[in-house]
Coordinates of all heavy atoms in Angstrom, one line a residue:
G1298 N 6.9 3.9 9.9 CA 6.8 5.3 10.1 C 5.5 5.6 10.9 O 4.8 4.7 11.4
P1299 N 5.2 6.9 11.1 CA 4.0 7.3 11.9 C 2.8 6.8 11.2 O 2.7 6.8 10.0 CB 4.1 8.8 11.9 CG 5.6 9.1 11.6 CD 6.0 8.0 10.7
V1300 N 1.8 6.5 12.0 CA 0.5 6.0 11.5 C -0.4 7.2 11.2 O -0.6 8.2 12.0 CB -0.2 5.1 12.6 CG1 -1.6 4.8 12.2 CG2 0.6 3.9 12.8
T1301 N -1.0 7.2 10.1 CA -2.1 8.2 9.7 C -3.4 7.5 9.9 O -3.7 6.4 9.3 CB -1.9 8.6 8.3 OG1 -0.7 9.3 8.1 CG2 -3.0 9.6 7.9
R1302 N -4.3 8.1 10.7 CA -5.6 7.5 10.9 C -6.4 7.5 9.6 O -6.3 8.3 8.8 CB -6.4 8.4 11.9 CG -5.8 8.5 13.3 CD -6.6 9.4 14.2 NE -5.9 9.7 15.5 CZ -6.2 9.1 16.6 NH1 -7.0 8.1 16.6 NH2 -5.5 9.4 17.7
I1303 N -7.3 6.4 9.5 CA -8.1 6.2 8.3 C -9.0 7.4 8.2 O -9.4 7.8 7.1 CB -8.8 4.9 8.4 CG1 -9.5 4.6 7.0 CG2 -9.9 4.9 9.5 CD1 -10.0 3.2 6.9
E1304 N -9.4 8.0 9.3 CA -10.3 9.2 9.2 C -9.7 10.4 8.5 O -10.3 11.3 7.9 CB -10.8 9.6 10.6 CG -11.7 8.7 11.3 CD -10.9 7.6 12.0 OE1 -9.7 7.5 11.9 OE2 -11.6 6.8 12.7
D1305 N -8.3 10.4 8.5 CA -7.6 11.5 7.9 C -7.1 11.3 6.5 O -6.9 12.2 5.8 CB -6.3 11.8 8.8 CG -6.7 12.3 10.2 OD1 -7.8 12.9 10.3 OD2 -5.9 12.1 11.1
C1306 N -7.0 10.0 6.1 CA -6.5 9.7 4.7 C -7.5 8.9 3.9 O -7.3 8.8 2.7 CB -5.2 9.0 4.8 SG -5.3 7.3 5.6
G1307 N -8.6 8.4 4.5 CA -9.5 7.6 3.8 C -9.0 6.2 3.6 O -7.8 5.9 4.0
E1308 N -9.8 5.3 3.1 CA -9.4 3.9 2.9 C -8.4 3.9 1.7 O -8.8 4.3 0.6 CB -10.6 3.0 2.7 CG -10.2 1.5 2.6 CD -11.4 0.6 2.4 OE1 -12.6 1.2 2.4 OE2 -11.2 -0.6 2.1
L1309 N -7.2 3.3 1.9 CA -6.2 3.3 0.9 C -6.3 2.1 0.0 O -6.0 1.0 0.5 CB -4.8 3.4 1.5 CG -4.5 4.7 2.2 CD1 -3.0 4.7 2.6 CD2 -4.8 5.9 1.4
T1310 N -6.8 2.2 -1.2 CA -7.0 1.1 -2.1 C -6.1 1.3 -3.4 O -6.0 0.3 -4.1 CB -8.4 0.8 -2.5 OG1 -8.9 2.1 -3.1 CG2 -9.3 0.5 -1.3
S1311 N -5.7 2.5 -3.6 CA -4.8 2.8 -4.7 C -3.9 4.0 -4.3 O -4.1 4.6 -3.3 CB -5.7 3.2 -6.0 OG -6.4 4.3 -5.7
G1312 N -2.9 4.2 -5.2 CA -2.0 5.3 -4.9 C -0.6 4.8 -5.1 O -0.3 3.6 -4.9
R1313 N 0.3 5.7 -5.4 CA 1.7 5.3 -5.7 C 2.5 4.9 -4.4 O 2.3 5.5 -3.3 CB 2.4 6.5 -6.3 CG 3.7 6.2 -7.0 CD 4.4 7.4 -7.6 NE 5.6 7.0 -8.4 CZ 6.5 7.9 -8.7 NH1 6.3 9.2 -8.4 NH2 7.6 7.6 -9.4
I1314 N 3.3 3.8 -4.6 CA 4.2 3.4 -3.5 C 5.6 3.3 -4.2 O 5.7 2.6 -5.2 CB 3.7 2.0 -2.9 CG1 4.8 1.5 -1.9 CG2 3.4 1.0 -3.9 CD1 4.3 0.3 -1.1
T1315 N 6.6 3.9 -3.5 CA 7.9 3.9 -4.1 C 8.9 3.7 -3.0 O 8.7 4.0 -1.8 CB 8.3 5.3 -4.8 OG1 8.3 6.3 -3.8 CG2 7.3 5.6 -5.9
L1316 N 10.1 3.2 -3.4 CA 11.2 3.2 -2.5 C 12.4 3.7 -3.3 O 12.7 3.3 -4.4 CB 11.5 1.8 -2.0 CG 12.7 1.6 -1.1 CD1 12.5 0.7 0.1 CD2 14.0 1.2 -1.8
S1317 N 13.2 4.6 -2.7 CA 14.4 5.1 -3.3 C 15.6 4.7 -2.4 O 15.5 4.7 -1.2 CB 14.3 6.6 -3.5 OG 14.2 7.3 -2.3
V1318 N 16.8 4.5 -3.0 CA 18.0 4.3 -2.4 C 19.0 5.4 -2.8 O 19.3 5.5 -4.0 CB 18.6 2.9 -2.7 CG1 20.0 2.7 -1.9 CG2 17.6 1.8 -2.2
D1319 N 19.4 6.2 -1.9 CA 20.3 7.4 -2.2 C 19.7 8.2 -3.3 O 20.5 8.7 -4.2 CB 21.7 6.9 -2.5 CG 22.4 6.2 -1.3 OD1 22.0 6.4 -0.2 OD2 23.3 5.4 -1.6
G1320 N 18.4 8.4 -3.3 CA 17.8 9.3 -4.2 C 17.3 8.6 -5.5 O 16.7 9.3 -6.3
E1321 N 17.7 7.4 -5.8 CA 17.4 6.7 -7.0 C 16.2 5.8 -6.7 O 16.2 4.9 -5.8 CB 18.5 5.8 -7.5 CG 18.2 5.0 -8.7 CD 19.4 4.1 -9.1 OE1 20.5 4.2 -8.5 OE2 19.1 3.2 -10.0
V1322 N 15.1 5.9 -7.5 CA 13.9 5.1 -7.3 C 14.2 3.7 -7.7 O 14.6 3.4 -8.9 CB 12.7 5.7 -8.1 CG1 11.5 4.8 -7.9 CG2 12.4 7.1 -7.5
R1323 N 14.0 2.8 -6.8 CA 14.2 1.3 -7.1 C 12.9 0.6 -7.2 O 12.8 -0.4 -7.9 CB 15.1 0.7 -6.0 CG 16.4 1.4 -5.8 CD 17.4 1.0 -6.9 NE 18.7 1.5 -6.7 CZ 19.6 1.0 -5.9 NH1 19.4 -0.1 -5.2 NH2 20.8 1.6 -5.8
Q1324 N 11.9 1.0 -6.4 CA 10.5 0.4 -6.5 C 9.5 1.4 -6.8 O 9.6 2.5 -6.2 CB 10.2 -0.3 -5.1 CG 11.1 -1.5 -4.8 CD 10.6 -2.2 -3.5 OE1 10.9 -1.7 -2.4 NE2 9.9 -3.3 -3.6
D1325 N 8.6 1.1 -7.7 CA 7.6 2.1 -8.1 C 6.4 1.4 -8.6 O 6.4 0.7 -9.6 CB 8.2 3.0 -9.2 CG 7.3 4.2 -9.5 OD1 6.2 4.3 -9.0 OD2 7.8 5.1 -10.3
A1326 N 5.3 1.5 -7.9 CA 4.1 0.7 -8.2 C 2.9 1.4 -7.7 O 3.0 2.6 -7.2 CB 4.2 -0.7 -7.6
D1327 N 1.7 0.8 -7.9 CA 0.5 1.4 -7.4 C -0.1 0.3 -6.4 O -0.1 -0.9 -6.8 CB -0.5 1.7 -8.5 CG -1.7 2.5 -8.0 OD1 -2.6 2.0 -7.4 OD2 -1.7 3.8 -8.2
M1328 N -0.7 0.7 -5.3 CA -1.3 -0.2 -4.4 C -2.4 -1.0 -5.0 O -2.7 -2.1 -4.5 CB -1.7 0.5 -3.1 CG -0.6 1.0 -2.3 SD -1.1 1.9 -0.8 CE -1.8 3.4 -1.5
S1329 N -3.0 -0.5 -6.0 CA -4.1 -1.3 -6.7 C -3.6 -2.5 -7.4 O -4.4 -3.4 -7.8 CB -4.8 -0.4 -7.7 OG -4.0 0.0 -8.7
W1330 N -2.3 -2.6 -7.5 CA -1.7 -3.8 -8.2 C -1.5 -5.0 -7.2 O -1.1 -6.0 -7.7 CB -0.3 -3.4 -8.8 CG -0.4 -2.3 -9.8 CD1 -1.5 -1.8 -10.4 CD2 0.8 -1.7 -10.4 NE1 -1.1 -0.8 -11.3 CE2 0.3 -0.7 -11.3 CE3 2.1 -1.8 -10.3 CZ2 1.1 0.1 -12.1 CZ3 3.0 -1.0 -11.0 CH2 2.5 -0.1 -11.9
M1331 N -1.9 -4.8 -6.0 CA -1.7 -5.9 -5.0 C -2.6 -7.1 -5.5 O -3.8 -6.9 -5.9 CB -2.1 -5.5 -3.6 CG -1.1 -4.6 -2.9 SD -1.4 -4.5 -1.1 CE -2.9 -3.5 -1.1
I1332 N -2.1 -8.3 -5.4 CA -2.8 -9.5 -5.8 C -4.0 -9.7 -4.8 O -5.1 -9.9 -5.2 CB -1.9 -10.7 -5.8 CG1 -0.8 -10.6 -6.9 CG2 -2.7 -12.0 -6.0 CD1 0.3 -11.6 -6.8
W1333 N -3.6 -9.6 -3.5 CA -4.6 -9.7 -2.4 C -4.8 -8.3 -1.9 O -3.8 -7.7 -1.4 CB -4.2 -10.7 -1.3 CG -4.3 -12.1 -1.8 CD1 -3.3 -12.8 -2.4 CD2 -5.4 -12.9 -1.8 NE1 -3.7 -14.1 -2.7 CE2 -5.0 -14.2 -2.3 CE3 -6.7 -12.8 -1.3 CZ2 -5.9 -15.3 -2.5 CZ3 -7.6 -13.9 -1.4 CH2 -7.2 -15.1 -2.0
K1334 N -6.0 -7.7 -2.0 CA -6.2 -6.3 -1.5 C -6.3 -6.3 0.0 O -6.4 -7.4 0.7 CB -7.6 -5.8 -2.1 CG -7.7 -6.0 -3.6 CD -6.5 -5.5 -4.4 CE -6.8 -5.7 -5.9 NZ -5.6 -5.3 -6.7
T1335 N -6.2 -5.1 0.6 CA -6.1 -5.0 2.0 C -7.3 -5.7 2.8 O -7.1 -6.4 3.8 CB -6.0 -3.5 2.4 OG1 -4.9 -3.0 1.8 CG2 -6.0 -3.4 3.9
D1336 N -8.5 -5.4 2.3 CA -9.7 -6.0 3.0 C -9.7 -7.5 2.9 O -10.1 -8.2 3.8 CB -11.0 -5.4 2.4 CG -11.1 -5.5 0.9 OD1 -10.2 -6.0 0.3 OD2 -12.2 -5.0 0.4
E1337 N -9.2 -8.1 1.7 CA -9.1 -9.5 1.6 C -8.0 -10.1 2.5 O -8.2 -11.2 3.1 CB -8.8 -9.9 0.1 CG -9.9 -9.5 -0.9 CD -9.5 -9.7 -2.3 OE1 -8.3 -9.4 -2.7 OE2 -10.3 -10.3 -3.0
I1338 N -6.9 -9.4 2.7 CA -5.8 -9.8 3.6 C -6.4 -9.9 5.0 O -6.1 -10.9 5.7 CB -4.7 -8.8 3.5 CG1 -3.9 -8.9 2.1 CG2 -3.7 -9.1 4.6 CD1 -2.9 -7.8 1.9
I1339 N -7.1 -8.9 5.4 CA -7.6 -8.9 6.8 C -8.5 -10.1 7.0 O -8.5 -10.9 8.0 CB -8.3 -7.6 7.1 CG1 -7.3 -6.4 7.2 CG2 -9.1 -7.7 8.4 CD1 -8.0 -5.1 7.2
S1340 N -9.4 -10.3 6.0 CA -10.3 -11.5 6.1 C -9.6 -12.8 6.1 O -9.9 -13.7 6.9 CB -11.3 -11.4 4.9 OG -12.2 -12.5 4.9
K1341 N -8.6 -13.0 5.2 CA -7.9 -14.2 5.2 C -7.1 -14.5 6.4 O -7.0 -15.6 7.0 CB -6.9 -14.2 4.0 CG -7.6 -14.4 2.6 CD -8.1 -15.9 2.5 CE -8.7 -16.2 1.2 NZ -9.3 -17.5 1.1
L1342 N -6.4 -13.4 7.0 CA -5.7 -13.6 8.2 C -6.6 -14.0 9.4 O -6.3 -14.9 10.2 CB -5.0 -12.2 8.6 CG -3.7 -11.9 8.0 CD1 -3.3 -10.5 8.3 CD2 -2.6 -12.9 8.4
S1343 N -7.8 -13.5 9.4 CA -8.8 -13.8 10.5 C -9.3 -15.2 10.4 O -10.0 -15.7 11.3 CB -9.9 -12.8 10.5 OG -10.8 -13.0 9.4

């Protein structure tokens, strides 16, 4: 989808992430549940 600049949304370290199929929620979690956090992912990739 469209990109939201970090200046407009802040650094995303938590918050709900969901996926629905035909209106039924199939995935429902919080980004804080990631095993490797975003800053760690960037560091590991580099």
Side-chain angles (χ1 to χ4, degrees):
V1300 173
T1301 298
R1302 297 175 188 267
I1303 192 171
E1304 293 86 355
D1305 295 330
C1306 64
E1308 186 179 351
L1309 297 185
T1310 57
S1311 63
R1313 194 179 184 198
I1314 175 171
T1315 65
L1316 179 141
S1317 63
V1318 179
D1319 295 338
E1321 177 186 351
V1322 176
R1323 301 283 184 84
Q1324 294 183 281
D1325 192 350
D1327 194 281
M1328 290 179 288
S1329 64
W1330 299 352
M1331 288 194 292
I1332 297 169
W1333 290 91
K1334 312 306 182 186
T1335 300
D1336 52 0
E1337 295 175 315
I1338 290 170
I1339 293 169
S1340 181
K1341 283 293 184 182
L1342 279 170
S1343 73

